[in-house]
């Protein structure tokens, strides 16, 4: 008889952790699956809460909600001010990487705003693992987020072409998968530790099958090649550039391929150790100057048409430039050219500095030659989006604000042997 109570106690101890993990979630309109934060750190975990959405009254929280998630303005929410502060902070990197493409940014923003704060959160989410954090409180460790195939496809189409560091074969949201990127792999990569882009520390799963009593999150998505009214600014956005959205590329593009028959090899003795660094045959400075003259002449072409004339500016694909080298109010022709590393500027192409920062041509200079176009090309082909080459003291970014992929403008060279 004495053994029975002991067995009961042991069984209760063994099953107690399992009972703590089991939850009945009420999937009802106007209900949440979490509210507030239960842990601290850069990416805190949210507290499990399966009750009605709450009024957000804190001025700081209201301001962030209205700015970051304007679609939810005036509604009850499933997020506190602390959650909004964390979301705003953790999406900053995403914003910086996608600000060239408003459609991609807005679709990502909507994805996380709906997940974090929607008053109908429980209709399209299901928390499926938890961790006790204090007496009577548990944090959500993982959640299923039921996002419609239409939204996922729209997100994919708007973001799949965004490039990292200007390289067309390294997509921002697909890593090295490049052209093999799919809707599923893009969303998975966004959430992975490898990407460093996930705004949350808990796991988010995106099931393809919808259980009973749940609904798809199916907000409208924006297309990268179509202007739209930005919910955050209430202004019409520009389309994403051709570099970041294939749908924005003009239907026809023209290529001018320049080769060299120069009798001597190109290259230079590297400053410091005098090692000979070979370059391709086109990289003689006199040839580069002639090629830039040709490019300038093409951009200044004008032909008569009826009572008026048509210029290169009238027919080129334009994108709004990005600070600091092309004001946002200025539309620039998107010319993919090696001379964009010099902002199509002949003075910059011919620039040469000494170790003390003087022009190489200045008289009475006693220090040695330290940097010229060779060094700048080496820097820019390695880091096309660099805002400053500190040796030549010039940027690599183009006049239209985009990074120039060396594989595109220096085609025909094996690997990176430019």
């Amino acid at each position: 008889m004495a053994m029975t109570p002991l067995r009961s106690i042991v069984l209760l101890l063994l099953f107690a952790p399992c009972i703590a993990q089991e939850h009945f979630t009420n999937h009802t309109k106007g209900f949440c699956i979490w509210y507030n934060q239960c842990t601290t750190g850069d990416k805190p975990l949210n507290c499990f809460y399966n009750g009605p959405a709450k009024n957000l009254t804190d001025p700081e929280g209201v301001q962030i909600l209205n700015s970051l998630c304007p679609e939810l303005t005036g509604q009850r929410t499933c997020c506190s001010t602390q959650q909004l502060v964390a979301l705003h902070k953790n999406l900053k990197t995403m914003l910086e990487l996608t600000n060239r493409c408003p459609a991609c940014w807005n679709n990502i923003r909507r994805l996380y705003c709906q997940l974090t704060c929607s008053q109908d959160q429980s209709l399209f989410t299901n928390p499926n693992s938890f961790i006790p954090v204090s007496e009577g409180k548990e944090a959500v460790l993982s959640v299923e987020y039921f996002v419609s195939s239409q939204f996922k496809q729209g997100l994919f189409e708007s973001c799949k072409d965004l490039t990292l560091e200007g390289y067309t074969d390294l997509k921002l949201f697909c890593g090295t998968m490049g052209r093999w990127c799919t809707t599923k792999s893009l969303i998975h990569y966004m959430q992975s530790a490898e990407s460093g882009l996930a705004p949350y520390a808990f796991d988010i799963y995106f099931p393809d099958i919808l259980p009973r009593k749940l609904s798809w999150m199916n907000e409208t998505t924006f297309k990268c090649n179509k202007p739209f009214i930005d919910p955050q600014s209430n202004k019409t956005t520009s389309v994403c550039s051709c570099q970041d959205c294939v749908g924005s590329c003009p239907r026809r593009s023209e290529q001018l391929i320049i080769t060299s028959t120069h009798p001597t090899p190109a290259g230079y003795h590297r400053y410091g150790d005098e090692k000979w660094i070979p370059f391709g045959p086109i990289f003689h400075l006199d040839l580069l100057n002639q090629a830039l003259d040709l490019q300038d002449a093409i951009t200044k072409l004008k032909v008569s048409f009826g009572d008026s004339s048509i210029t290169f500016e009238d027919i080129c694909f334009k994108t709004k430039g990005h600070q600091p080298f092309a004001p946002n109010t200025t539309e620039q022709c998107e010319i993919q050219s090696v001379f964009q590393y010099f902002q199509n500027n002949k003075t910059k192409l011919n620039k040469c500095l000494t170790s003390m920062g003087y022009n190489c041509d200045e008289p009475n200079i006693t220090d040695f030659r330290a940097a010229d176009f060779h060094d700048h090309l080496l820097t820019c082909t390695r880091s096309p989006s660099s805002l400053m080459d500190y040796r030549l003291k010039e940027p690599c970014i183009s006049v239209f604000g985009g990074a120039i992929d060396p594989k595109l403008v220096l085609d025909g060279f094996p690997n990176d042997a430019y």
Side-chain angles (χ1 to χ4, degrees):
M1 295 293 292
M3 293 294 291
T4 303
L6 180 60
R7 285 178 179 172
S8 299
I9 292 171
V10 171
L11 288 173
L12 284 172
L13 288 173
L14 288 172
F15 282 99
C18 298
I19 293 170
Q21 298 296 314
E22 294 177 359
H23 291 77
F24 169 78
T25 303
N26 186 356
H27 298 287
T28 302
K29 187 175 178 63
F31 270 55
C32 307
I33 64 159
W34 61 45
Y35 196 87
N36 218 345
Q37 297 172 338
C38 281
T39 62
T40 58
D42 289 338
K43 297 180 180 180
L45 296 176
N46 298 326
C47 301
F48 176 68
Y49 165 74
N50 191 207
K54 301 183 180 185
N55 285 321
L56 184 66
T57 57
D58 178 66
E60 182 184 10
V62 171
Q63 189 275 325
I64 297 175
L65 183 74
N66 293 346
S67 172
L68 185 62
C69 308
E71 298 86 355
L72 305 179
T73 296
Q75 300 180 15
R76 292 172 179 261
T77 70
C78 290
C79 60
S80 65
T81 296
Q82 288 82 359
Q83 287 172 284
L84 281 163
V85 168
L87 180 64
H88 183 250
K89 174 187 174 185
N90 293 329
L91 282 180
K92 278 186 177 179
T93 299
M94 198 83 80
L95 172 60
E96 291 169 0
L97 293 171
T98 61
N99 63 5
R100 300 193 311 264
C101 190
C104 176
W105 160 245
N106 272 276
N107 291 336
I108 290 173
R109 180 186 61 76
R110 284 187 160 188
L111 178 75
Y112 289 114
C113 282
Q114 291 294 321
L115 170 64
T116 308
C117 293
S118 172
Q119 64 181 359
D120 297 322
Q121 185 187 62
S122 71
L123 290 181
F124 47 77
T125 58
N126 184 53
N128 51 15
S129 67
F130 311 83
I131 182 172
V133 289
S134 62
E135 187 174 348
K137 285 190 176 182
E138 292 175 300
V140 178
L141 270 182
S142 64
V143 62
E144 293 174 311
Y145 188 11
F146 295 90
V147 179
S148 72
S149 59
Q150 294 93 330
F151 186 95
K152 286 188 283 192
Q153 186 65 29
L155 173 67
F156 173 74
E157 293 294 338
S158 67
C159 297
K160 66 182 174 67
D161 296 319
L162 260 75
T163 54
L164 183 65
E165 290 289 323
Y167 289 98
T168 56
D169 59 348
L170 188 57
K171 302 301 183 183
L172 177 61
F173 292 121
C174 282
T176 55
M177 294 193 69
R179 59 182 176 177
W180 294 281
C181 188
T182 64
T183 303
K184 188 173 183 178
S185 62
L186 181 142
I187 292 177
H188 174 76
Y189 184 76
M190 279 174 56
Q191 294 299 127
S192 69
E194 177 190 356
S195 73
L197 299 172
Y200 296 117
F202 56 84
D203 294 323
I204 305 174
Y205 302 100
F206 295 86
D208 295 322
I209 299 174
L210 187 70
R212 291 177 57 195
K213 297 185 179 180
L214 272 78
S215 307
W216 295 115
M217 192 290 286
N218 193 27
E219 285 286 297
T220 302
T221 54
F222 302 108
K223 296 182 178 180
C224 63
N225 63 335
K226 302 288 184 184
F228 61 92
I229 303 297
D230 189 333
Q232 289 185 286
S233 65
N234 207 30
K235 296 179 181 178
T236 302
T237 67
S238 59
V239 300
C240 307
S241 71
C242 175
Q243 173 185 332
D244 296 313
C245 173
V246 171
S248 293
C249 297
R251 287 187 298 276
R252 192 181 78 177
S253 61
E254 298 294 339
Q255 284 187 321
L256 178 63
I257 300 174
I258 300 175
T259 58
S260 171
T261 58
H262 202 285
T264 60
Y268 80 125
H269 290 284
R270 185 167 59 195
Y271 312 120
D273 61 6
E274 292 300 308
K275 180 181 178 181
W276 174 255
I277 306 297
F279 273 64
I282 192 64
F283 292 105
H284 289 278
L285 188 56
D286 58 333
L287 292 182
L288 291 175
N289 276 283
Q290 292 177 51
L292 180 53
D293 287 339
L294 177 59
Q295 177 180 299
D296 288 341
I298 292 172
T299 61
K300 293 173 183 175
L301 286 173
K302 181 187 293 187
V303 295
S304 298
F305 183 76
D307 296 331
S308 61
S309 59
I310 298 175
T311 68
F312 181 82
E313 292 275 333
D314 295 324
I315 62 171
C316 73
F317 176 77
K318 293 181 180 179
T319 181
K320 286 191 175 180
H322 304 286
Q323 294 284 7
F325 306 108
N328 287 328
T329 55
T330 303
E331 289 189 342
Q332 302 280 348
C333 290
E334 191 166 310
I335 301 171
Q336 299 284 337
S337 163
V338 70
F339 299 113
Q340 291 281 13
Y341 293 141
F342 303 89
Q343 293 75 55
N344 301 327
N345 185 298
K346 216 169 186 182
T347 300
K348 294 182 179 183
L349 174 63
N350 291 276
K351 186 175 181 179
C352 175
L353 294 180
T354 68
S355 62
M356 296 180 66
Y358 295 105
N359 288 325
C360 297
D361 295 334
E362 287 187 23
N364 304 318
I365 296 300
T366 57
D367 62 328
F368 58 88
R369 186 183 182 101
D372 64 9
F373 75 96
H374 295 98
D375 303 276
H376 193 60
L377 284 170
L378 290 173
T379 296
C380 295
T381 52
R382 291 170 184 151
S383 184
S385 60
S386 173
L387 296 180
M388 185 56 63
D389 168 8
Y390 289 97
R391 296 190 68 181
L392 201 62
K393 297 180 172 56
E394 296 292 347
C396 296
I397 209 79
S398 69
V399 292
F400 62 83
I404 300 297
D405 186 352
K407 290 182 173 60
L408 181 64
V409 298
L410 296 171
D411 192 23
F413 291 94
N415 300 319
D416 59 353
Y418 308 125

